[in-house]
């Protein structure tokens, strides 16, 4: 009987395209052959009612005992509402981002300290969203030991939540969805096999990409809710530690991209905006008059204003070649740049080569996990492989150039270029997001701003505006 109900729900979800097959990029950057977009349920009252009822029954059957319910924003909010109303259970609402005005509460609603709360979710992949919701609830004094989800993708979320003391009950599993759709001729056996293989290949059980295992102490709080001070303490790499400490001390997450072609100009800007930045980014190969004196002057300014230097060299060759590009030649980057960066395209050898030169000098590297330019190829599987490469050589790689948060490990620092005070594009494919979006919503840590500052009429005033916008976005995650 129960099976018939589940079968017809699965078929209905397929009909309304809440489940789709093809090639999709998930929030984590992973490419998936199946995608669930359960938001469309809101347009089908009978599906909503049935899903809410099945969630309720699953939670009761599992023996969950709770006083309050809370839906993971946003898709599960209406489901939690239906459960609350139909079964007379009080509900609380978790804000997705704490508002930077008004009451600044992460959890809205009335509850008592120690109340048990049932978390309701639509789809679980890694368990990250359920875990974050549990953290927000626990932060205000509630307790969480049960969660119920409509669909468990079977990629290890259940096990990870169990490690955190949360029992996850699911109404349907992905293998069940595949089996029903295949049985009713909605998907071919090859699509079914491909999707099953995908689940096997992407199960987060023992992996380095399990945040709780990468950094057990740090997993107590989501990365974005940790302060720069906390993260500085966790970092083992001295450069990462120093960068977070500077960000905390100077209250800035602004990096200035000094893409100017004369040394004099770079130094002038470094001196003027230096007090407002944590990092200055160079492209020394665009300088017409590069010299050793430039390097010593820039280093002196970095000391004077307490910022680090990042040479945006984007190494992308075999290990043996990048070794020379980094340590020798005209620029001798490893001698003066605290940080440089590399594309993951050559494979781990590029990092090993750079590390051979920069490791002993205490230098650090970022990997380009995503890019800001339109049509770039650093997406999906490529991004995922880049994250893995960073995790494997975290003694030298301290983070990413990216457009959104890639790793939940709080030791990895995320820097985002393509930032202006208003969204837009340039004529060559650059795409701009705002500081609020990059830090407050996309999960990045540092905004990298070039033309937004050096082309402004009053670069210092504008740099202060970027600093203020970036830092208040960070603060809004902590209120
Ligand atoms: O994906 C990227 C990666 C980088 S490092 N997109 C980028 O724009 N960058 C760099 O950030 C780029 O080389 C330039 O130095 C800076 C952005 O400059 P803006 O003038 O567009 O702010």
């Amino acid at each position: 009987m129960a099976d018939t109900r589940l079968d017809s729900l699965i078929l209905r979800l397929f009909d309304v395209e809440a489940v789709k097959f093809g090639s999709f990029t998930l929030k984590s950057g992973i490419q998936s052959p199946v995608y669930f977009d359960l938001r469309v349920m809101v347009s089908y009252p009978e599906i909503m009612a049935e899903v809410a009822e099945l969630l309720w029954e699953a939670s009761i059957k599992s023996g969950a005992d709770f006083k309050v319910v809370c839906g993971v924003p946003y898709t599960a909010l209406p489901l939690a509402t239906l459960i609350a109303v139909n079964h007379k259970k009080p509900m609380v609402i978790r804000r997705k981002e704490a508002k930077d005005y008004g009451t600044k509460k992460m959890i809205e609603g009335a509850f008592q300290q120690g109340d048990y709360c049932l978390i309701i979710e639509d789809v679980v992949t890694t368990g990250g969203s359920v875990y974050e919701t549990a953290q927000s609830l626990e932060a205000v004094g509630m307790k969480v030991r049960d969660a119920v989800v409509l669909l468990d993708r079977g990629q290890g979320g259940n096990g990870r939540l169990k490690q955190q003391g949360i029992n996850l009950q699911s109404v349907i599993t992905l293998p069940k969805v595949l089996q029903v759709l295949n049985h009713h001729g909605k998907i071919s056996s090859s699509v079914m096999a491909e999707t099953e293989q995908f689940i096997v290949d992407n199960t987060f059980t023992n992996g380095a990409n399990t945040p709780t295992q990468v950094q057990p102490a740090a997993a107590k709080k989501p990365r974005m809710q940790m302060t720069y001070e906390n993260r500085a303490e966790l970092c083992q790499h001295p450069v990462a530690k120093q960068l977070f400490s500077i960000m905390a001390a100077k209250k800035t997450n602004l990096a200035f991209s000094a893409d100017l072609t004369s040394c004099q100009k770079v130094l002038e800007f470094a001196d003027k905006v230096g007090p407002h930045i944590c990092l200055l980014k160079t492209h020394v190969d665009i300088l017409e008059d590069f010299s050793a004196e430039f390097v010593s002057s820039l280093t002196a300014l970095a000391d004077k204003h307490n910022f680090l230097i990042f040479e945006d060299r984007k190494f992308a060759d075999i290990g043996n070649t990048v070794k020379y590009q980094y340590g020798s030649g005209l620029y001798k980057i490893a001698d003066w740049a605290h940080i440089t960066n590399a594309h993951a395209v050559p494979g781990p050898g590029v990092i090993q080569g750079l590390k051979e030169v920069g490791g002993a000098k205490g230098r650090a590297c970022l990997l380009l996990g995503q890019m800001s330019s339109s049509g770039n190829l650093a997406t999906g599987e490529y991004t995922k492989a880049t994250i893995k490469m960073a995790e494997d050589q975290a003694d030298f790689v301290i983070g990413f150039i990216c457009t959104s948060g890639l790793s939940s490990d709080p030791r990895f620092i995320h820097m985002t270029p393509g930032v202006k005070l208003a969204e837009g594009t340039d004529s060559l494919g650059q795409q701009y997001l705002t500081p609020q979006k990059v830090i407050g919503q996309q999960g990045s840590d540092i905004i990298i701003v070039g033309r937004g500052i050096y082309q402004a009429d009053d670069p210092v005033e504008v740099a202060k505006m970027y600093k203020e916008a970036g830092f208040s976005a960070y603060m809004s995650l902590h209120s």
Side-chain angles (χ1 to χ4, degrees):
M1 190 62 194
D3 258 355
T4 325
R5 261 175 89 189
L6 286 190
D7 287 13
S8 32
L9 175 65
I10 291 166
L11 291 168
R12 267 307 271 148
L13 290 173
F14 183 77
D15 282 349
V16 302
E17 297 194 333
V19 45
K20 287 185 253 193
F21 294 84
S23 181
F24 308 92
T25 305
L26 301 181
K27 206 158 62 178
S28 52
I30 295 171
Q31 209 72 25
S32 167
V34 61
Y35 184 64
F36 293 90
D37 182 4
L38 294 170
R39 284 166 295 196
V40 297
M41 280 190 305
V42 293
S43 308
Y44 305 93
E46 82 290 356
I47 299 184
M48 289 270 282
E50 176 69 345
V51 168
E53 207 44 34
L54 285 165
L55 284 165
W56 171 258
E57 287 170 18
S59 68
I60 296 304
K61 216 167 87 191
S62 73
D65 187 15
F66 50 88
K67 264 190 117 165
V68 186
V69 297
C70 178
V72 176
Y74 292 103
T75 313
L77 280 182
L79 297 171
T81 312
L82 281 173
I83 291 173
V85 172
N86 291 343
H87 299 282
K88 304 201 172 10
K89 284 278 181 190
M91 164 170 140
V92 290
I93 294 180
R94 177 193 160 214
R95 283 190 192 284
K96 207 163 159 64
E97 289 88 24
K99 292 203 288 181
D100 49 3
Y101 57 88
T103 61
K104 297 193 175 176
K105 278 200 256 169
M106 279 301 273
I107 303 293
E108 302 285 356
F111 54 87
Q112 308 276 316
Q113 295 293 300
D115 276 354
Y116 279 98
C117 183
L118 172 75
I119 295 180
I120 294 158
E121 174 63 307
D122 60 332
V123 181
V124 162
T125 306
T126 64
S129 301
V130 168
Y131 181 56
E132 276 181 25
T133 301
Q135 297 240 293
S136 302
L137 293 166
E138 284 169 357
V140 295
M142 269 182 275
K143 290 189 174 162
V144 177
R145 60 185 170 200
D146 295 291
V148 62
V149 62
L150 173 63
L151 184 117
D152 184 353
R153 288 182 58 119
Q155 289 173 244
N158 194 324
R160 291 171 70 176
L161 288 169
K162 191 147 275 153
Q163 282 179 4
Q164 308 297 337
I166 301 173
N167 292 314
L168 179 73
Q169 196 61 35
S170 59
V171 173
I172 35 184
T173 59
L174 186 44
K176 172 81 182 165
V177 172
L178 298 177
Q179 188 204 322
V180 170
L181 292 178
N182 180 246
H183 179 74
H184 287 85
K186 304 284 183 191
I187 56 167
S188 67
S189 298
S190 68
V191 166
M192 179 165 164
E194 187 203 346
T195 313
E196 280 169 345
Q197 188 56 44
F198 166 81
I199 303 170
V200 171
D201 293 344
N202 288 281
T203 297
F204 308 91
T205 45
N206 56 353
N209 48 3
T210 307
T212 50
Q213 287 162 355
V214 170
Q215 183 50 265
K220 297 218 161 67
K221 254 190 177 184
R223 173 173 61 85
M224 294 307 287
Q225 281 176 28
M226 294 181 68
T227 62
Y228 298 148
E229 288 90 341
N230 293 155
R231 292 176 65 184
E233 272 172 36
L234 287 171
C235 287
Q236 273 138 26
H237 197 295
V239 171
K241 218 180 232 317
Q242 194 182 354
L243 185 51
F244 278 123
S245 306
I246 293 174
M247 292 162 75
K250 291 176 74 177
K251 297 193 185 331
T252 181
N253 50 34
L254 172 62
F256 173 55
S257 182
D259 300 333
L260 301 142
T261 52
S262 95
C263 292
Q264 159 98 23
K265 278 262 171 260
V266 172
L267 296 173
E268 271 172 29
F269 271 96
D271 203 15
K272 281 194 292 194
V273 302
H276 312 295
I277 61 176
C278 57
L279 188 69
L280 183 135
K281 186 172 83 61
T282 52
H283 278 300
V284 281
D285 55 358
I286 67 173
L287 288 169
E288 276 154 5
D289 51 353
F290 177 84
S291 65
E293 291 74 56
F294 164 74
V295 167
S296 38
S297 305
L298 185 61
T299 304
L301 288 171
D303 289 341
K304 174 179 167 192
H305 295 300
N306 193 24
F307 61 74
L308 297 187
I309 303 170
F310 164 20
E311 165 54 22
D312 186 3
R313 173 61 179 75
K314 297 188 181 71
F315 292 100
D317 212 322
I318 59 165
N320 188 58
T321 303
V322 299
K323 239 167 59 176
Y324 296 107
Q325 291 174 320
Y326 188 30
S328 317
L330 179 59
Y331 303 118
K332 298 184 180 45
I333 296 165
D335 284 352
W336 50 270
H338 302 98
I339 301 174
T340 192
N341 56 353
H343 284 291
V345 72
V350 65
I351 308 170
Q352 282 151 9
L354 294 172
K355 192 161 57 178
E356 273 192 22
V357 176
K361 295 178 194 283
R363 305 303 184 202
C365 181
L366 303 168
L367 294 185
L368 287 114
Q370 292 170 325
M371 291 196 71
S372 61
S373 41
S374 83
N376 77 79
L377 306 178
T379 59
E381 285 300 312
Y382 180 86
T383 302
K384 194 182 139 200
T386 306
I387 300 168
K388 172 86 171 60
M389 245 183 248
E391 287 168 348
D392 289 346
Q393 299 196 61
D395 56 338
F396 186 59
V397 179
I398 60 164
F400 304 97
I401 295 291
C402 52
T403 52
S404 59
L406 299 184
S407 167
S408 43
D409 186 331
R411 296 168 301 177
F412 280 132
I413 187 150
H414 295 63
M415 304 192 190
T416 300
V419 177
K420 275 200 171 174
L421 292 170
E423 290 192 7
T425 53
D426 72 3
S427 59
L428 297 173
Q430 176 70 302
Q431 305 175 112
Y432 290 108
L433 297 175
T434 63
Q436 166 55 34
K437 182 129 191 208
V438 166
I439 306 285
Q441 293 172 35
Q442 305 269 91
S444 193
D445 299 309
I446 287 185
I447 49 171
I448 298 177
V449 184
R451 281 166 286 180
I453 291 175
Y454 66 76
Q455 287 182 346
D457 291 338
D458 188 340
V460 177
E461 271 317 301
V462 171
K464 284 191 204 161
M465 287 162 73
Y466 278 99
K467 173 191 173 189
E468 177 55 36
F471 199 74
S472 61
Y474 157 75
M475 288 302 285
S476 71
L477 299 170
H478 295 264
S479 39

